[in-house]
């Protein structure tokens, strides 16, 4: 079995990891793999340029202000989601790219007249993470563990799996993020414990309470706020600075995209610095122009000011923690360990609020930006037998059931059931000689089917003629260790298994995934060609430059017809580069000019030798 990498596919940033080996105690040693820029996390951003290039990560982030409508960020929030959901509507209003409904109502992204599904965009991020690992390890990687929030439902997990398939990665396991964080702390090795995982990232807040005993991870309750994160802290600071600036200079910095972007970067930087210092300087020269000339923003900012500005945001996370504790039937004193995840947990006020709530110091030691990915790598190593197996038993985040008479939702697998799990139900006909039974599978906690999330519809067909109520068809619903549902039906009359064709209410069909995989392969070839062409062009420009220099200096050492030949070669290559000729033509032209330049070199060095011999 090849190596299995761990990937934290985050809303804001992604991180890739691998277990390199074990230490003397047999504990896994995990490496966080740096990207080409040397950073340990990569922005989860994909951009498409006017030239048709696809950019992923830091390069995509860098050009975001100049190409906002073709730069897609936070696509994780759209995974497996319908466009008419209030959260999606909110995101549609706040992002600079277009979110549109697909034919089945799923939220898709429209970039340069091309419609793309969120799994397809996510696959580009996964591919980038895969390539970062391959470059570092010097070998092909085909398998990964990918993490998702504990509350992700079936459609969102399925969408994540599809993203892996499109990227050419087999996702060996979809792991809940809080479970991964607990694994990274080696909490599975200890006595039975109750753990709270407090995860405050760039865009979301998640709180999960887990019970760990004998390597069994039981997510007792999970909650949070999918629209509360570090960006909200930045906005508070931006508004404060912009309001002050407006008061003094009468200019609203938020109205100009460039000024706003500079202000946003400065605010985030100040927020980071205030995690380690009590005061910082904000200094943005030439941020705007006033009636008397350029305006600058200069201001000292105290940690206490940031804390006052964001107090209610931190309080919202604490309220959510209390709600989740209540749901889990636990009091703060019952929690043995608190694990912090996400960059925002570096803020001292956040750490303090958590300490006060749980009455204990949170666990420190693993980088909060990397802890989830580290856990994913450990799970990967356990699956390949590199380290002792860890038995991870997560639970279903929401109840799964079917629609029964009068549109009622009948639960088959209640929420918080440990996975993998299987539940069967016997179905029958309601009319004489009915040839099929329609079944509608849903997920959610509401009592009426219409209020829950539709997962799939299917028909049990080929039922032999019989009076109503006589046929007995057992339908088994199985949720695997990834939290993904599959359905199997058995006709109890004939004992034959019937294949059930499930039409997912969301997500991509297998055919769509297959076609995207093929497209990805084509893209790969096109990407490679484009890179080769860019490199050749670069070499050609260098050759033109050095040849012209050499001609200027040594033309008189060559016979005139040779000089003309080389000049022609240079001119032809220049025309080729400007006219956008193909790779093969440029390569031929490059090779012939290179040959011609060798003759200049021979003449030069031949001349030198002659001089040497004469002296
Ligand atoms: P994540 O989604 O986990 O990558 O978290 C990113 C968020 O953490 C962003 O809002 C960052 O501004 C924030 N963050 C990162 N480092 C720090 C720090 N040192 N102090 C405060 N916030 C930070």
């Amino acid at each position: 079995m090849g190596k299995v990498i761990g990937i934290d596919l985050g809303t804001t940033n992604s991180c890739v990891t691998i277990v390199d080996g074990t230490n003397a105690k047999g504990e896994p040693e995990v490496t966080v793999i740096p990207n080409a820029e040397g950073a340990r996390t990569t922005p989860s951003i994909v951009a498409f340029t006017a030239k048709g290039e696809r950019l992923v990560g830091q390069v995509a982030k860098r050009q975001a202000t100049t190409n906002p409508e073709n730069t897609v960020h936070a696509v994780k929030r759209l995974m497996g989601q319908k466009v008419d959901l209030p959260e999606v509507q909110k995101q549609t209003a706040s992002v600079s790219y277009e979110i549109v409904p697909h034919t089945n109502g799923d939220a898709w992204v429209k970039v340069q007249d091309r419609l793309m599904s969120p799994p397809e965009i996510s696959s580009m991020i996964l591919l980038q993470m895969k390539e970062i690992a391959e470059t570092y390890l010097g070998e092909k990687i085909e398998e990964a563990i990918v993490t998702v929030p504990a509350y992700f439902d079936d459609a969102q997990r399925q969408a994540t799996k599809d993203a892996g398939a499109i990227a050419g990665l087999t996702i060996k396991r979809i792991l809940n993020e809080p479970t991964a964080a607990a694994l990274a702390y080696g909490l599975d090795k200890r006595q039975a414990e109750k753990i709270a995982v407090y995860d405050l990232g760039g865009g979301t807040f998640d709180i999960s309470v887990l019970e760990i005993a004998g390597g069994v991870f039981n997510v007792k309750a999970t909650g949070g706020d999918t629209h509360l994160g570090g960006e909200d802290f930045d906005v508070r600071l931006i508004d404060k600075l912009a309001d002050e600036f407006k008061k003094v200079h009468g200019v609203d910095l938020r109205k100009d995209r460039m000024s706003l972007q500079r202000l946003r970067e400065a605010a985030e930087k100040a927020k980071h610095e205030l995690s380690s210092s009590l005061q910082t300087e904000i200094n943005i020269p030439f941020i705007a122009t006033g009636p008397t000339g350029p305006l600058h923003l200069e201001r000292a900012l105290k940690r206490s000011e940031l804390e006052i500005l964001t107090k209610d945001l931190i309080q919202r996370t604490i309220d959510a923690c209390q709600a989740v504790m209540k749901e889990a039937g636990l009091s703060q004193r019952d929690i043995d360990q608190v694990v912090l995840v996400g960059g925002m947990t570096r803020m001292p006020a956040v750490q303090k609020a958590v300490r006060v709530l749980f009455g204990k110091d949170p666990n420190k030691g693993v980088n909060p930006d990397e802890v989830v990915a580290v856990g994913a790598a450990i799970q990967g190593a356990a699956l390949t037998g590199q380290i002792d197996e860890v038995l991870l038993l997560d639970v279903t985040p929401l109840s799964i059931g079917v629609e029964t008479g009068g549109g009622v939702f009948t639960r088959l697998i209640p929420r918080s059931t440990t996975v993998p799990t299987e539940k069967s139900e016997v179905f029958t006909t309601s009319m004489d000689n009915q040839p099929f039974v329609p079944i509608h599978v849903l997920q959610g906690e509401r009592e009426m089917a219409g209020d829950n999330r539709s997962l799939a519809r299917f028909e049990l067909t080929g039922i032999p003629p019989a009076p109503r109520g006589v046929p007995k068809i057992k339908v088994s619903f199985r949720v695997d260790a990834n939290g993904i549902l599959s359905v199997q039906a058995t006709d109890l009359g004939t004992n034959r298994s019937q294949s059930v064709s499930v039409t997912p209410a969301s997500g991509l069909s297998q055919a769509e995934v297959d076609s995207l995989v093929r497209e990805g392969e084509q893209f790969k070839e096109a990407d490679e060609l484009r890179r080769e062409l860019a490199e050749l062009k670069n070499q050609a420009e260098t050759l033109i430059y050095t040849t012209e220099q050499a001609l200027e200096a040594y033309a008189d050492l060559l016979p005139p017809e040779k000089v003309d030949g080389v000049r022609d070669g240079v001119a032809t290559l220049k025309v080729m580069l400007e006219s956008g000729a193909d790779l093969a033509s440029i390569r031929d032209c490059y090779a012939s000019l290179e040959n011609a330049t060798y003759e200049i070199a021979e003449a030069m060095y031949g001349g030198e030798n002659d001089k040497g011999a004469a002296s």
Side-chain angles (χ1 to χ4, degrees):
M1 194 187 265
K3 289 192 166 129
V4 179
I5 52 173
I7 301 177
D8 170 9
L9 182 61
T11 309
T12 326
N13 293 300
S14 294
C15 182
V16 58
T17 47
I18 185 93
V19 169
D20 274 337
T22 49
N23 64 16
K25 286 193 238 161
E27 293 160 347
E29 292 197 330
V30 183
T31 297
V32 174
I33 306 178
N35 61 24
E37 278 108 5
R40 292 157 73 87
T41 58
T42 298
S44 305
I45 301 180
V46 179
F48 302 85
T49 68
K51 285 190 197 153
E53 281 168 306
R54 191 166 85 189
L55 308 174
V56 183
Q58 196 57 49
V59 277
K61 188 174 183 181
R62 224 172 273 138
Q63 54 85 71
T65 32
T66 52
N67 183 26
E69 63 277 20
N70 301 316
T71 304
V72 184
H73 60 92
V75 77
K76 184 174 175 179
R77 291 207 186 128
L78 301 178
M79 293 284 271
Q81 300 285 34
K82 297 282 175 208
V83 89
D84 53 9
L85 282 175
E87 305 91 81
V88 173
Q89 289 293 315
K90 214 169 149 190
Q91 180 159 349
T92 306
S94 71
V95 296
S96 45
Y97 57 91
E98 218 181 323
I99 299 173
V100 292
H102 183 49
T103 44
N104 63 1
D106 280 3
W108 279 36
V109 170
K110 189 173 173 199
V111 177
Q112 296 167 339
D113 294 332
R114 188 174 159 199
L115 279 179
M116 278 179 285
S117 65
E120 194 179 347
I121 307 260
S122 289
S123 78
M124 296 170 192
I125 303 167
L126 285 178
L127 191 62
Q128 180 82 357
M129 304 318 284
K130 172 177 175 291
E131 285 173 2
I132 290 171
E134 287 176 343
T135 308
Y136 175 85
L137 297 165
E139 63 183 272
K140 284 259 161 254
I141 294 291
E142 277 159 4
E143 294 176 325
I145 307 289
V146 177
T147 58
V148 297
Y151 58 76
F152 254 29
D153 66 19
D154 184 79
Q156 291 167 303
R157 284 165 199 264
Q158 191 63 58
T160 307
K161 227 174 169 196
D162 288 347
I166 299 167
L169 269 176
T170 304
I171 299 190
K172 295 285 288 178
R173 183 66 61 87
I174 289 183
L175 187 61
N176 283 336
E177 288 163 8
T179 307
L183 261 182
Y185 276 101
L187 298 178
D188 56 309
K189 304 282 186 308
R190 305 195 196 172
Q191 298 297 307
E193 280 184 328
K194 291 188 182 64
I195 299 173
V197 179
Y198 176 105
D199 179 353
L200 187 57
T204 55
F205 170 62
D206 301 326
I207 170 75
S208 309
V209 175
L210 292 83
E211 203 169 52
I212 307 182
V216 177
F217 284 67
N218 193 343
V219 181
K220 300 285 290 178
T222 176
D225 189 333
T226 46
H227 290 90
L228 172 62
E231 278 163 30
D232 300 289
F233 287 65
D234 300 346
V235 167
R236 289 291 164 86
L237 206 45
I238 292 166
D239 283 341
K240 164 97 177 156
L241 296 170
D243 287 346
E244 283 178 0
F245 196 87
K246 194 170 170 206
K247 219 171 184 178
V248 178
H249 301 291
V251 178
D252 190 346
L253 297 174
R254 286 161 293 205
K255 296 252 160 72
D256 179 74
R257 228 175 43 199
M258 287 295 268
S259 308
L260 178 61
Q261 180 58 19
R262 290 182 70 199
L263 190 57
R264 187 177 286 135
E265 281 166 15
E268 190 179 12
K269 185 163 164 272
K271 178 185 76 173
H272 290 193
E273 283 168 2
L274 290 175
S275 290
S276 49
S277 327
L278 288 169
Q279 181 162 328
T280 184
E281 292 293 326
I282 296 174
N283 198 338
I284 322 176
F286 304 101
I287 181 121
T289 314
T292 55
L295 300 171
H296 318 293
L297 195 157
E298 281 168 7
R299 187 192 193 285
L301 186 75
K302 292 203 181 89
R303 183 189 283 175
S304 54
E305 285 179 274
L306 176 67
E307 289 179 356
I308 293 165
L309 282 174
T310 56
K311 199 164 186 269
D312 61 309
L313 298 177
I314 299 179
Q315 187 54 43
R316 269 167 65 192
T317 70
I318 298 301
D319 294 344
C321 289
Q322 281 165 332
V324 162
M325 300 288 297
K326 198 165 161 210
E327 194 192 326
L330 297 171
S331 86
Q332 281 80 332
R333 278 190 312 278
D334 297 326
I335 299 294
D336 301 297
Q337 305 274 344
V338 183
V339 171
L340 297 182
V341 182
M344 264 321 296
T345 61
R346 290 212 174 88
M347 183 174 175
V350 169
Q351 294 180 1
K352 186 173 165 208
V354 174
R355 192 181 316 118
V356 169
L357 174 68
F358 291 102
K360 55 179 63 71
D361 273 326
N363 252 308
K364 288 197 181 123
V366 182
N367 187 330
D369 304 323
E370 299 167 358
V371 56
V372 166
V374 167
I378 294 173
Q379 168 67 6
L383 287 182
T384 53
Q386 230 181 324
I387 57 168
D388 286 349
E389 197 177 343
V390 269
L391 181 63
L392 293 183
L393 295 180
D394 277 327
V395 291
T396 49
L398 296 164
S399 304
I400 295 174
V402 290
E403 181 174 345
T404 51
V408 170
F409 177 60
T410 304
R411 284 176 178 75
L412 295 182
I413 301 175
R415 92 177 265 190
S416 293
T417 302
T418 304
V419 292
T421 184
E422 192 167 328
K423 180 75 203 270
S424 300
E425 187 83 2
V426 174
F427 290 89
T428 187
T429 49
S430 56
M431 285 184 294
D432 292 342
N433 300 328
Q434 188 179 319
F436 67 88
V437 179
I439 292 177
H440 185 195
V441 188
L442 303 113
Q443 189 165 27
E445 301 312 315
R446 304 281 295 271
E447 295 311 315
M448 297 307 291
D451 295 328
N452 288 321
R453 161 82 91 116
S454 170
L455 290 183
R457 285 175 187 274
F458 57 88
E459 285 175 353
L460 298 171
T461 51
I463 299 170
R468 68 187 171 138
V470 170
K472 287 194 170 52
I473 293 135
K474 188 171 100 175
V475 182
S476 303
F477 297 82
R478 188 172 187 282
V479 180
D480 67 14
N482 299 314
I484 290 178
L485 175 74
S486 58
V487 183
Q488 158 108 45
T490 312
D491 186 336
L492 294 180
T494 59
N495 226 7
R496 268 207 318 257
S497 274
Q498 207 180 20
S499 77
V500 175
S501 72
V502 177
T503 320
S506 264
L508 303 172
S509 66
Q510 190 56 44
E512 281 172 308
V513 171
D514 290 347
S515 118
L516 287 168
V517 170
R518 280 195 300 276
E519 208 174 285
E521 278 158 10
Q522 283 163 11
F523 220 121
K524 203 172 166 192
E525 273 171 33
D527 277 353
E528 273 165 17
L529 260 181
R530 207 178 293 128
R531 202 197 55 227
E532 238 178 277
L533 187 62
E535 281 171 3
L536 182 62
K537 277 185 173 171
N538 190 38
Q539 283 172 11
E541 276 159 11
T542 314
L543 183 66
I544 290 172
Y545 176 78
T546 50
T547 310
E548 282 177 337
Q549 298 279 307
L551 276 179
E552 220 167 87
Y554 305 108
D556 49 349
L557 295 177
L558 288 171
E561 66 276 10
K562 287 255 179 236
V563 173
D564 289 343
V566 174
R567 285 218 166 97
D568 281 351
V570 168
T572 317
L573 189 54
K574 271 188 181 170
V575 170
M576 287 223 156
L577 293 184
E578 275 158 24
S579 66
D582 61 39
L583 188 72
S585 320
I586 298 179
R587 199 180 273 143
D588 286 349
C589 189
Y590 177 90
S592 72
L593 178 61
E594 200 175 35
N595 276 336
T597 58
Y598 289 157
E599 294 185 18
I600 305 185
E602 269 165 26
M604 271 163 53
Y605 290 109
E608 290 281 316
N609 286 342
D610 290 350
K611 275 185 223 154
S615 61

